[in-house]
Amino acid sequence: MSVCRPARCLFSKASSLPKSAPSAPHPRRPFHTTTSRSGRRRRPHYPSIKAEDLALLNQAAEVQYPKYDTSETALLAKKYTPAQIAAIKAAESALDPRDIITQGQTRTDPWKLPYEDDMSEVDPVTDHAEKLTAADIPGPKTFREANEVESDEAITLIASENMAKLYPNGVPDDMTDKEKQHLEDAMHAALTQASLDPRASYTSKNPKAMEALADPRHSTILPDLPRLENRMAKQTRRLSTEEQEDPRQKRLLQQMSWDKDKLKFLRIKTLVSHGVTNQTRMGKINSMYFLTIAGNENGLLGVGEGKSTEPEEGRKQSVMAAIRNMRPIPRYEGRTIYGDLEKKVGATKVQLFSRPPGFGLRVQHLIFELARAAGLHDLSARTPRSRNKMNVIKATWEALCNQRLPDEIARGRGKKLVDVRKVYYGGSVH
Amino acid sequence: MSLVNLAHVCSHLQNASKARLGLTSIPVSKMHVNLMLGLQREGFLSSVTLGGPTPPKPFLLQTQPDPESLENMARKLEKEPWNAYPVDGQSPLGKEQIYEVNVPENPAKRRLWLGLKYWNNEPVLKQMKLVSKPTRRIWLTSEDLGRIARTRESSYVKGLTHPGECMFVTTDRGILEARDCVERRIGGMALCRVW
């Protein structure tokens, strides 16, 4: 039993106790292609419990979260001061274990810890590796450089240790040529490793200090991460050479001198797709048209078009074009546009209005997607004339790209312009 | 005070800046002159010159003093800096060069020549629109103007929401920018908005 158990309240998972499943006579119908943000639920986050279930619940609470017994309190007393133990007890009594079972949920808020843990074990992936200092070495800590005899002795010792690890049952007598070759390689490796070991070049009279030389906990270099050895990890693990690489994507990355990981952080969405027909003397040729937007949600936005007889091909074309066309969008305080914008493409007119903080994106769905991909948070818009999807997207994109910035206006007019909001709030606007 | 002529001026300036003209002319009236001087003060225009049917000579094409005499002048000023100030109306540095614009006697032949400005291949003055119309004048109080300058709508006049937008108001103290009116707490008739 861990002394860190008081933390259970903070990291407890939702219980496996049967919750009344929310009956859904009318499943929510998606009216948009956009995935809806999970709105505030009308019902409470936990089911109401009947009296007969309460007995079950009490039982479950006692089993899952038992009271401290004397051995545990003794352990606690070793680790914590009396004041801390009092605080732990107060916190334990403040939280009813039944509440934890019924209402305990995994956190979904952005401030949750990036992993679930009760901190009882050191996880080599998420936690810092254990460190020892010179104070942990008992006895004298004096070293000197080993002479040749000592060095040879140490190398033999370390190499034989390493070989013993590789062949725990001893070297078998009858070996095939391949196994012999393997053994030779292993011996060579063990010798190299031993000669690189600090115990081979330094020596000390204190055996504990010699041990500390080989101990990775004393090393300034962090130990390697452990290899995950479960079946799932093995199946999903791929070498970079095994992966199929899209030649178009490769060329795009080369052109933009980007890393492949950068593509992961782009918000890419195909907003328009429809069939188009080319009438030739041979007959009609049907193909698919795609219009895709790409943005990094931090001031970059691109729109791309693609067309092909193969739908997947056309879509990929449009995605690559969108990424390649990404242009910077100037944003006022990183949330809205500089003043009102208006742009006309064909018969489509788009008017964009800047809005105060917290206003949100009160715009039609296409402009919403563009604003979200560009990282705009406060915006309203009107499309008073034609609402042709492609033209709305193009007009919005061009309006956002070609904003007149206050600096440029000031330079053009030879006047000094001051952002009053920034001055008033002393620059502490986001 | 006809707003019809002002409407023509507004569209003419928009067209001229779309055509990337460097110099253009408008008919002369007291209101036009004052409004154009206001535009120049706000930095929309580079020059406002009264002239005839032909454009005035640009500054760089006017006769300049030759560099040798300028050098002499600089040397003299360095030795005797008090010569920079004229004594009894006589400049000790020699005669000042003044380029005289030929303004016709006949007022009907006079034109107001405006220098337009461009920055980064974009006109500085892109849009110019009437607020009051010939058939519907709009008078605004300083409170109205304050709200409009803070991007809110007031008295059926939309706020100044475009970046760097200005509105000109004719008051009993002359033609002023809306923000100047708010500062001085005077109202007046809204003329036009520029951005």
Side-chain angles (χ1 to χ4, degrees):
Chain A
M1 181 52 67
S2 158
V3 284
C4 298
R5 220 191 66 192
R8 73 187 184 192
C9 310
L10 299 174
F11 310 114
S12 63
K13 258 178 118 176
S15 73
S16 55
L17 203 75
K19 269 186 189 177
S20 68
S23 59
H26 307 291
R28 203 178 293 162
R29 272 171 56 198
F31 289 111
H32 313 281
T33 51
T34 312
T35 46
S36 65
R37 284 173 73 188
S38 54
R40 188 175 138 60
R41 280 191 284 173
R42 296 282 176 273
R43 264 173 275 104
H45 292 265
Y46 48 89
S48 54
I49 301 165
K50 287 178 189 157
E52 60 256 32
D53 288 342
L54 202 61
L56 263 180
L57 177 63
N58 286 338
Q59 217 177 326
E62 264 178 32
V63 172
Q64 281 196 26
Y65 302 109
K67 291 261 184 309
Y68 285 124
D69 58 19
T70 43
S71 65
E72 283 167 350
T73 41
L75 263 179
L76 281 177
K78 272 186 197 163
K79 187 86 178 176
Y80 298 114
T81 62
Q84 282 174 325
I85 290 175
I88 290 167
K89 280 189 177 156
E92 289 276 340
S93 62
L95 281 177
D96 192 346
R98 290 179 303 179
D99 286 346
I100 301 175
I101 286 182
T102 50
Q103 301 177 29
Q105 287 183 330
T106 39
R107 290 173 63 172
T108 52
D109 55 324
W111 296 276
K112 67 172 184 207
L113 290 174
Y115 52 89
E116 285 176 83
D117 199 352
D118 65 351
M119 315 286 182
S120 60
E121 287 173 353
V122 175
D123 181 3
V125 177
T126 50
D127 294 333
H128 282 293
E130 205 183 340
K131 284 273 171 201
L132 293 181
T133 58
D136 296 313
I137 306 169
K141 300 172 195 59
T142 47
F143 289 93
R144 66 175 170 79
E145 265 187 52
N147 57 33
E148 267 181 31
V149 180
E150 284 164 341
S151 173
D152 283 347
E153 200 179 341
I155 287 174
T156 344
L157 188 72
I158 297 161
S160 57
E161 269 176 19
N162 286 345
M163 287 304 291
K165 274 181 207 161
L166 283 175
Y167 294 91
N169 303 328
V171 181
D173 293 334
D174 47 340
M175 291 202 293
T176 59
D177 285 351
K178 207 174 185 184
E179 279 175 337
K180 272 180 192 166
Q181 180 65 31
H182 207 79
L183 176 69
E184 232 167 77
D185 285 349
M187 280 169 76
H188 189 69
L191 272 173
T192 322
Q193 214 175 348
S195 57
L196 289 172
D197 196 286
R199 282 176 290 176
S201 28
Y202 293 97
T203 182
S204 168
K205 278 176 191 163
N206 183 2
K208 295 280 179 192
M210 286 297 279
E211 269 175 40
L213 276 180
D215 195 344
R217 292 176 300 175
H218 282 284
S219 170
T220 49
I221 302 162
L222 274 180
D224 286 339
L225 288 179
R227 277 179 82 80
L228 296 176
E229 282 308 336
N230 62 17
R231 201 155 54 89
M232 194 64 181
K234 259 185 208 161
Q235 279 174 354
T236 51
R237 191 179 295 149
R238 287 261 177 78
L239 291 175
S240 59
T241 48
E242 285 175 58
E243 271 180 35
Q244 275 294 332
E245 210 169 48
D246 186 5
R248 203 180 287 120
Q249 181 183 320
K250 199 175 161 190
R251 200 169 68 230
L252 174 83
L253 291 176
Q254 276 174 349
Q255 279 174 351
M256 305 185 73
S257 68
W258 265 19
D259 197 8
K260 202 171 170 187
D261 296 335
K262 267 195 175 181
L263 290 180
K264 280 186 211 158
F265 300 105
L266 294 183
R267 182 181 280 278
I268 297 169
K269 189 156 190 177
T270 303
L271 293 181
V272 182
S273 65
H274 53 70
V276 288
T277 313
N278 181 19
Q279 178 74 53
T280 63
R281 69 200 165 101
M282 322 291 280
K284 289 174 181 169
I285 300 172
N286 291 320
S287 46
M288 289 286 284
Y289 166 89
F290 294 92
L291 193 149
T292 303
I293 64 162
N296 69 347
E297 297 181 70
N298 195 18
L300 270 183
L301 183 65
V303 172
E305 292 171 300
K307 194 173 67 175
S308 172
T309 46
E310 297 296 321
E312 195 47 37
E313 166 76 14
R315 212 186 69 78
K316 268 187 188 162
Q317 260 181 32
S318 68
V319 168
M320 295 305 152
I323 296 171
R324 195 173 290 119
N325 287 342
M326 287 213 298
R327 278 200 248 153
I329 305 287
R331 294 174 300 163
Y332 178 64
E333 294 176 358
R335 56 174 185 84
T336 188
I337 51 176
Y338 286 92
D340 294 354
L341 305 173
E342 189 175 307
K343 179 75 190 177
K344 193 164 158 288
V345 170
T348 301
K349 192 158 86 172
V350 172
Q351 293 167 333
L352 300 168
F353 310 105
S354 70
R355 286 289 178 255
F359 185 86
L361 293 174
R362 300 192 204 167
V363 292
Q364 58 138 301
H365 64 292
L366 296 168
I367 302 178
F368 173 85
E369 293 295 346
L370 283 161
R372 189 163 65 161
L376 292 165
H377 305 298
D378 303 305
L379 197 70
S380 68
R382 275 172 59 75
T383 39
R385 295 180 51 175
S386 162
R387 284 167 205 166
N388 180 298
K389 284 184 175 184
M390 297 179 289
N391 284 344
V392 166
I393 292 168
K394 285 174 198 166
T396 312
W397 183 47
E398 288 192 359
L400 289 176
C401 288
N402 303 323
Q403 292 182 50
R404 294 181 92 186
L405 300 182
D407 294 355
E408 298 256 298
I409 294 171
R411 289 290 295 276
R413 292 190 197 162
K415 301 271 286 185
K416 185 179 172 185
L417 286 186
V418 173
D419 183 356
V420 183
R421 241 178 82 79
K422 204 169 178 181
V423 172
Y424 184 84
Y425 290 110
S428 62
V429 281
H430 304 294
Chain B
M1 196 175 76
S2 167
L3 285 183
V4 175
N5 291 334
L6 186 60
H8 291 158
V9 166
C10 288
S11 8
H12 177 70
L13 285 184
Q14 283 188 35
N15 293 341
S17 64
K18 268 185 193 136
R20 298 288 193 274
L21 300 189
L23 199 64
T24 185
S25 74
I26 58 170
V28 183
S29 77
K30 275 191 270 182
M31 187 179 68
H32 287 172
V33 171
N34 286 330
L35 181 63
M36 291 311 137
L37 288 175
L39 282 176
Q40 194 189 22
R41 198 163 49 241
E42 290 301 322
F44 286 102
L45 299 178
S46 60
S47 67
V48 180
T49 321
L50 190 64
T54 50
K57 225 175 191 179
F59 176 77
L60 284 175
L61 295 184
Q62 292 167 15
T63 47
Q64 306 277 343
D66 59 304
E68 214 168 286
S69 70
L70 279 176
E71 215 169 280
N72 285 337
M73 205 188 290
R75 222 174 289 137
K76 194 174 177 186
L77 268 179
E78 204 176 347
K79 274 183 199 160
E80 303 163 346
W82 55 86
N83 281 327
Y85 300 98
V87 186
D88 317 328
Q90 289 275 325
S91 176
L93 293 171
K95 223 173 141 194
E96 204 176 329
Q97 289 209 348
I98 298 169
Y99 182 73
E100 283 188 9
V101 183
N102 187 20
V103 180
E105 286 284 308
N106 182 359
K109 288 197 168 173
R110 289 179 194 161
R111 301 284 290 177
L112 195 60
W113 289 90
L114 310 173
L116 300 177
K117 281 167 93 171
Y118 301 91
W119 174 254
N120 277 355
N121 205 18
E122 283 282 307
V124 172
L125 188 155
K126 237 182 181 175
Q127 296 281 330
M128 191 167 174
K129 277 186 179 155
L130 279 194
V131 178
S132 290
K133 301 290 161 69
T135 53
R136 185 168 172 274
R137 313 286 174 119
I138 296 175
W139 280 270
L140 299 168
T141 64
S142 67
E143 285 79 28
D144 287 334
L145 286 170
R147 255 168 266 145
I148 289 165
R150 284 186 220 110
T151 71
R152 299 275 175 263
E153 188 178 335
S154 186
S155 296
Y156 304 103
V157 177
K158 290 263 183 333
L160 304 177
T161 49
H162 295 95
E165 193 173 357
C166 291
M167 187 162 77
F168 286 90
V169 183
T170 172
T171 65
D172 50 358
R173 314 283 170 86
I175 293 179
L176 298 175
E177 214 272 307
R179 294 176 182 90
D180 280 347
C181 289
V182 178
E183 209 169 298
R184 300 192 199 177
R185 305 205 176 187
I186 40 180
M189 194 183 81
L191 286 180
C192 61
R193 54 200 312 161
V194 191
W195 72 91

